[in-house]
Amino acid sequence: MELTVKNLCFAYQKNHPVFTDISFNVSTPEIFCILGANGAGKSTLLKCLANQHAASSGQIFYDEQLLHSFSMRELAKKIAYIPQTHAPAFPFSVLDIVMMGRAAYLGSFSSPGNREKKLAEEKLALLGIEQLAGKSYTDISGGERQLVMLASALAQEPQMLLLDEPTAHLDFGRQYRFLDILHLLKKQGIGILMTSHFPDHALRAADTTAILKDGTFAHIGPSADVVTSENLTALYNVPIQVISLPEYDQKICLPEGALS
């Protein structure tokens, strides 16, 4: 599947745009990461792509079909969107929350059956949180909720995931296990578009990275070319060094002078 964005603009108030003239492509299976400072518009952009906000101008296509031409059920079979936070309203069990991801495949008066239960259990196991299945969604931590929402999204069997700050509430170990899961999903043919405040995660996981700054993509391209000392220093207004670790075949980002 291919996501194509052409000249996208969005403003909450007239003459006060959040972003303008955003254009890019994401093809499955690809991991595309958007970096940006707080308030840059990353979450707003993802909401536009998920049809939760209507763009002020520009076009969004999934497989050459305009976003607004899809029904909610049709769109749910193509993409799954996970926001930064999710406030639970009712104490459903974790297993029930994950089975809700199958809603697009069930009839109006149908209930999840054994197939949906088995699929939900498989997604929980994939994320290493099968022990949460019987717990109330309201009683688990924020990081655990984020993983449960990912399991529910995977139960949709989408072709592409839209993830808003997916590692923000995860502990250090789970952050890096999560990145490994993204690689696994990519191997399974799923495309991933994610936002992040962690440039190291873009270097570790993303094929392509874009930097959203001053309402537009200041840089876009292969992650190793975009996540540089110069670009990160300009983005975050603090001197940052991107250090190569040849023995580990990776790079890390550090404040300037951190190794002195």
Side-chain angles (χ1 to χ4, degrees), residues 21 53 58 82 108 113 135-136 161 175 221 238 241 250:
D21 199 27
H53 285 341
I82 304 179
S108 299
K135 291 190 175 183
S136 170
L161 292 170
Q175 284 184 22
V238 61
Q241 295 175 298
Q250 70 178 77

Side-chain angles (χ1 to χ4, degrees), residues 21 48 51 55 85-87 95 97 153 170 195 197 210 216 231 233 247:
D21 199 27
C48 289
N51 208 26
T85 57
H86 179 260
L95 185 62
I97 292 289
L170 303 182
T195 66
H197 280 304
T216 192
N231 290 345
T233 296
E247 63 272 33

Side-chain angles (χ1 to χ4, degrees), residues 89-102:
F90 301 101
F92 293 109
S93 74
V94 164
L95 185 62
D96 284 339
I97 292 289
V98 179
M99 285 195 291
M100 289 178 189
R102 299 299 296 167

Side-chain angles (χ1 to χ4, degrees), residues 11-28:
Y12 288 106
Q13 297 178 353
K14 191 175 181 180
N15 300 322
H16 291 85
V18 177
F19 53 78
T20 59
D21 199 27
I22 297 290
S23 298
F24 64 99
N25 293 78
V26 183
S27 298
T28 56

Side-chain angles (χ1 to χ4, degrees), residues 3-11 17-25 45 48-49 54-61 66 212 215-217 220:
L3 162 64
T4 303
V5 178
K6 295 182 178 180
N7 309 117
L8 201 68
C9 304
F10 180 86
V18 177
F19 53 78
T20 59
D21 199 27
I22 297 290
S23 298
F24 64 99
N25 293 78
L45 175 55
C48 289
L49 302 181
S56 303
S57 62
Q59 295 174 311
I60 301 168
F61 299 86
L66 279 168
L212 183 57
T216 192
F217 278 170
I220 184 171

